[in-house]
Amino acid sequence: MERIRNFSIIAHVDHGKSTLADRLLEYTGAVSRRELKEQMLDTLEIERERGITIKLQAVRMEHKGYLLHLIDTPGHVDFSYEVSRALAACEGAILLVDATQGIEAQTVANFWKAVEQDLVIIPVINKIDLPAADPERVRKQIEEILGLDGDDVILASAKEGIGIEEILNAIIERIPPPKGDPKAPLKALIFDSYYDPYRGAVAFVRVFDGEVKPGTKIKLFSTGKEFEVTEVGAQTPKMTKFEKLSAGEVGYIAASIKDVRDIRVGDTITDAKRPADSPVPGFRPAKPMVFAGLYPSEGYTFEELRDALEKYAINDAAIYYEPETSPALGMGFRVGFLGLLHMEIVQERLEREYGVGLITTAPSVVYRVRFKNGTVKEIKNPSELPENWGLIEAIEEPFVNVTIITPKEYVGSIMNLCQEKRGIQKGFKYLDPNTVMLEYEMPLSEILLDFHDKIKSLSRGYASYDYEFIGYKEEDLVRLNVFINNEPVDALSFIVHRDKAYRRARQLVEKLKDTIPRQLFEVKVQAGIGNKIIASERIPPLRANVTAKCYGGDVTRKKKLLEKQKEGKKRLKQFGKVELPQEAFLSVLKVD
Ligand code: GDP
Ligand code: MG
């Protein structure tokens, strides 16, 4: 164990984490440049395209006779629990900061997560090769904002291969070896999992005590489920079998497990015959924060969607789903996600890899309704909010703590934005003469809306933010109902703060007017609180002037239009009502 080091790289997105990881692998000879490319090809298509790390990986390499385990962490706020579990598997972390950008929101958020785990932190300033690099400014920020010693900073360029040897030496010299008792009962923390068609669900673990090998009967602490180990090993970076994994080591365990939901991130694996007294602390089941309805689009069936979801869920323990029926959309599922990025990933993969077309309703947070009779109900779908408001004591919504780091010239407009979004200011601090850190408490629903786009456009891309869930708070909320030709469309209803109801209702009906294609009859689009209409628009019928415009001159155009009308008729017959395109369901999110 003296010769093992377990570490992560933590950084704000784009500061060079993946590049540095590649460089470390290359330097230690774990992979050649050619293999690196092939290695990349193995990772998920979407992950590669988006340039973000979704799945954690743990790679073993060797340097000067030491075994180094690099545990990767996902770079998005949706996966912050996974980050904390990955850090719990380490004794140290490399904190990477871009020499041209300085400290950003995720730098600070990840730094605190590492401090919570008592990790030794090695500060590294990356991209010193760039002309705009200002390492001395960043060194000062590291001293003043994070309270680290500026003399410990390593200057590096992952791209040019500068500082790599120094980083590897610092890992060996500064990070302590793992502690643990190889003779004690097995205690292994799961920090990641994935589904492998050959091995079944595979758990990535850090072994704290004891050892595990093929044939070991293992037991999961949270569920008591038991499995027999078929294979253990580590990524070097290829999946490589070992005889065993012992205290201090990082690697994978396969045990013919059919479903990744049996090996939850944060859970502890122990020996079924000789179990440990207690698990590694900190386990909590995945908690979906955002829910949306997923329905088969035209040409796909409910059964096809169900099969796709079931297959997909084997891969993703964080997703939650249950069947639901919408009067407007028919049979589908209410699906829970960790956040908006997670939702986008699931949608894309269902369509691309599992071949099912989707209509997705606007995502919504989970509201909590306290009834006068003392019961509490969690609302995953705005349409579940009871009509009878007399029974309701209060409605609560999830709040997050948002940290924003921005150049000082954008502070004013960002503060306005936060106020508009019902934010309560909690902090204002100059990080250096040009950079301000703001802290707000804000409803998560306001972040879902368009916070990301707004903050990026207000700051020309220079501000960054991060947030964490802090709890539920009572707010004055109402449900906006949407009616199309006087019929309520449940799938378009949403919950909103009373003060914003009028504005949102107006924006929504205008957006719907733009997205719903004109029909042969007039379409009335209305929004109301309960049955009280507060905004209304009319989509004029198509027929009235559709041929009139052609002046009888252009025959083919006239024909086409008439054909279109016929087609329209067919569809109307089929559905008996207005056809709503996917865009319409997301217009709830499109506000100005
Ligand atoms: P990650 O999001 O932290 O994983 O960042 P990446 O490793 O994907 O790097 C983001 C971008 O910065 C890529 O275009 C890299 O090529 C570039 N990059 C990373 N390290 C360096 C560096 O040391 N110098 C320069 N000039 N560019 C770098
Ligand atoms: Mg990356």
Side-chain angles (χ1 to χ4, degrees):
M1 263 194 296
E2 265 311 304
R3 299 202 150 247
I4 297 176
R5 297 292 182 272
N6 299 318
F7 71 103
S8 282
I9 306 172
I10 52 179
H12 190 80
V13 66
D14 283 343
H15 284 203
K17 186 164 67 118
S18 302
T19 311
L20 178 62
D22 288 354
R23 200 60 70 237
L24 294 176
L25 289 178
E26 199 183 74
Y27 194 92
T28 56
V31 283
S32 66
R33 249 174 208 253
R34 186 183 52 80
E35 282 175 320
L36 258 183
K37 281 232 181 71
E38 285 171 5
Q39 176 65 27
M40 299 279 286
L41 293 175
D42 291 343
T43 55
L44 289 171
E45 194 185 335
I46 294 173
E47 178 174 341
R48 225 179 43 243
E49 277 177 17
R50 293 175 171 237
I52 25 174
T53 313
I54 299 157
K55 277 281 148 204
L56 301 166
Q57 288 166 314
V59 190
R60 174 183 289 216
M61 53 195 134
E62 272 186 63
H63 182 64
K64 295 184 173 168
Y66 286 80
L67 272 185
L68 312 183
H69 298 121
L70 165 57
I71 296 167
D72 196 11
T73 55
H76 192 275
V77 56
D78 283 6
F79 305 98
S80 69
Y81 174 67
E82 282 73 3
V83 175
S84 85
R85 295 301 82 199
L87 295 179
C90 302
E91 279 74 37
I94 295 172
L95 180 82
L96 200 62
V97 187
D98 185 323
T100 66
Q101 303 295 315
I103 286 178
E104 295 194 67
Q106 285 169 279
T107 318
V108 178
N110 286 323
F111 169 77
W112 285 114
K113 284 198 185 87
V115 169
E116 265 166 42
Q117 301 297 332
D118 280 331
L119 303 192
V120 168
I121 292 165
I122 302 173
V124 174
I125 298 178
N126 188 35
K127 306 198 190 182
I128 58 161
D129 60 292
L130 289 175
D134 188 352
E136 288 319 308
R137 167 185 165 236
V138 180
R139 192 196 299 268
K140 245 197 215 127
Q141 287 188 334
I142 289 173
E143 284 181 334
E144 279 165 23
I145 302 164
L146 309 179
L148 299 174
D149 188 341
D151 292 337
D152 290 342
V153 170
I154 298 172
L155 300 182
S157 164
K159 192 167 169 203
E160 303 291 329
I162 302 166
I164 306 302
E165 167 93 33
E166 212 183 324
I167 292 171
L168 285 165
N169 291 341
I171 290 166
I172 292 170
E173 286 155 20
R174 300 190 206 168
I175 298 176
K179 293 194 196 92
D181 181 356
K183 302 244 154 46
L186 174 66
K187 196 189 267 196
L189 168 70
I190 303 171
F191 59 84
D192 189 22
S193 64
Y194 82 103
Y195 186 77
D196 182 313
Y198 304 106
R199 298 177 176 94
V202 173
F204 281 99
V205 298
R206 155 69 191 273
V207 182
F208 280 89
D209 286 320
E211 58 176 44
V212 56
K213 54 186 165 200
T216 307
K217 258 273 184 60
I218 52 166
K219 186 168 90 173
L220 276 306
F221 244 101
S222 75
T223 60
K225 283 194 185 174
E226 296 184 7
F227 301 94
E228 190 176 315
V229 175
T230 55
E231 184 181 325
V232 302
Q235 293 179 309
T236 62
K238 292 194 187 72
M239 298 288 276
T240 307
K241 277 188 210 179
F242 293 148
E243 263 169 39
K244 62 177 185 184
L245 290 176
S246 303
E249 285 187 284
V250 169
Y252 69 85
I253 299 176
S256 303
I257 300 167
K258 301 267 180 316
D259 194 325
V260 280
R261 278 169 290 191
D262 283 330
I263 42 172
R264 303 269 182 181
V265 169
D267 202 358
T268 300
I269 291 177
T270 190
D271 193 321
K273 294 213 188 83
R274 195 165 74 104
D277 296 335
S278 60
V280 181
F283 173 64
R284 69 172 168 77
K287 183 139 181 62
M289 297 301 288
V290 175
F291 281 78
L294 259 55
Y295 291 83
S297 65
E298 215 185 295
Y300 298 91
T301 64
F302 171 77
E303 285 72 24
E304 283 169 319
L305 174 57
R306 186 190 57 205
D307 289 351
L309 260 175
E310 274 170 8
K311 282 203 199 100
Y312 174 80
I314 289 175
N315 265 297
D316 183 350
I319 190 178
Y320 166 93
Y321 64 98
E322 67 187 13
E324 77 172 4
T325 307
S326 151
L329 295 171
M331 288 213 300
F333 291 91
R334 178 86 353 202
V335 184
F337 311 92
L338 297 174
L340 283 189
L341 177 74
H342 186 218
M343 170 170 151
E344 269 178 52
I345 291 166
V346 173
Q347 258 172 284
E348 268 184 54
R349 292 193 59 189
L350 283 174
E351 295 201 316
R352 228 192 279 188
E353 293 169 38
Y354 299 87
V356 55
L358 298 172
I359 291 269
T360 309
T361 66
S364 165
V365 300
V366 180
Y367 293 93
R368 229 191 239 166
V369 181
R370 290 202 324 262
F371 288 97
K372 286 189 174 136
N373 68 8
T375 56
V376 176
K377 189 181 174 201
E378 290 206 330
I379 303 270
K380 301 188 195 99
N381 181 344
S383 70
E384 290 171 345
L385 203 63
E387 280 299 344
N388 188 349
W389 285 72
L391 303 173
I392 296 174
E393 171 82 32
I395 307 176
E396 299 173 341
E397 66 178 322
F399 269 67
V400 293
N401 202 6
V402 190
T403 306
I404 304 158
I405 295 182
T406 175
K408 70 166 187 287
E409 57 263 46
Y410 309 117
V411 164
S413 36
I414 288 177
M415 284 172 68
N416 282 343
L417 171 69
C418 291
Q419 201 164 0
E420 226 172 78
K421 290 195 159 286
R422 298 189 276 143
I424 304 154
Q425 196 180 327
K426 291 284 162 180
F428 183 109
K429 195 161 112 195
Y430 271 91
L431 298 188
D432 62 33
N434 295 312
T435 317
V436 173
M437 180 162 91
L438 295 166
E439 263 179 275
Y440 278 87
E441 271 179 31
M442 203 182 279
L444 175 60
S445 63
E446 297 284 352
I447 295 210
L448 294 191
L449 212 51
D450 57 353
F451 190 71
H452 182 83
D453 295 351
K454 284 244 165 89
I455 217 162
K456 289 293 170 193
S457 72
L458 284 176
S459 70
R460 308 230 243 107
Y462 284 114
S464 61
Y465 69 96
D466 198 272
Y467 58 85
E468 62 176 347
F469 174 68
I470 48 173
Y472 274 82
K473 269 198 193 178
E474 185 178 330
E475 286 281 284
D476 189 8
L477 302 169
V478 295
R479 181 174 66 208
L480 269 188
N481 292 322
V482 176
F483 303 86
I484 294 191
N485 282 346
N486 301 319
E487 267 190 66
V489 183
D490 61 304
L492 285 173
S493 71
F494 61 100
I495 294 172
V496 60
H497 194 270
R498 191 183 298 276
D499 294 347
K500 296 191 159 189
Y502 280 84
R503 212 172 115 210
R504 293 289 305 282
R506 183 101 291 278
Q507 286 171 334
L508 179 67
V509 294
E510 276 164 18
K511 279 276 160 0
L512 285 174
K513 187 184 171 192
D514 290 344
T515 48
I516 298 174
R518 286 167 78 175
Q519 316 281 327
L520 292 172
F521 46 84
E522 182 181 76
V523 176
K524 199 162 60 175
V525 183
Q526 295 169 303
I529 300 172
N531 287 325
K532 187 179 154 245
I533 301 301
I534 59 175
S536 183
E537 276 290 343
R538 284 166 194 278
I539 304 172
L542 201 51
R543 191 207 288 275
N545 46 12
V546 78
T547 50
K549 265 192 203 150
C550 303
Y551 303 112
D554 184 344
V555 179
T556 53
R557 183 152 171 239
K558 201 170 190 178
K559 236 191 191 157
K560 249 194 207 144
L561 281 170
L562 287 171
E563 250 159 43
K564 245 201 191 146
Q565 286 195 356
K566 237 199 263 160
E567 238 176 68
K569 229 172 226 161
K570 245 195 287 164
R571 253 197 250 133
L572 288 178
K573 231 195 213 156
Q574 224 169 313
F575 296 99
K577 61 172 90 136
V578 181
E579 227 203 9
L580 295 176
Q582 165 71 72
E583 276 174 282
F585 293 96
L586 297 181
S587 44
V588 177
L589 296 178
K590 304 261 159 35
V591 289
D592 312 312

